[in-house]
Amino acid sequence: MSFSRIYTGQLPARRGSLKAALLSIASTVVMWRRRARDRSHLRDLEPYLLDDVGIPPERRDREVRKPFWVR
């Protein structure tokens, strides 16, 4: 028995579980990058464009202050 299995008390992961975990991590990173990019673009929008899409400046400011990991 390997040290990590003894230390954590966990059984070895099934093959599909590792692939699913890696895909989940990759998906999360892609989502975080997209949020960071979108908030950066939102921050840079001119006020007349915000008016065109109906976003008040207060809502924009609140959104761009959020960290990338917050929905």
Side-chain angles (χ1 to χ4, degrees), residues 8-48:
T8 63
Q10 296 175 351
L11 296 174
R14 295 192 320 244
R15 279 191 187 146
S17 298
L18 178 60
K19 183 178 180 180
L22 291 175
L23 286 173
S24 177
I25 291 168
S27 173
T28 299
V29 169
V30 167
M31 179 179 48
W32 285 350
R33 290 183 59 150
R34 184 177 304 131
R35 280 185 194 155
R37 183 197 63 224
D38 291 350
R39 289 176 181 158
S40 174
H41 289 304
L42 184 60
R43 181 186 62 238
D44 297 336
L45 279 180
E46 296 293 331
Y48 74 92

Side-chain angles (χ1 to χ4, degrees), residues 45-57:
L45 279 180
E46 296 293 331
Y48 74 92
L49 291 173
L50 287 173
D51 288 340
D52 284 352
V53 293
I55 299 175

Side-chain angles (χ1 to χ4, degrees), residues 42 50-51 53-63:
L42 184 60
L50 287 173
D51 288 340
V53 293
I55 299 175
E58 302 82 26
R59 183 173 171 202
R60 184 227 11 219
D61 295 341
R62 189 172 49 247
E63 186 67 28

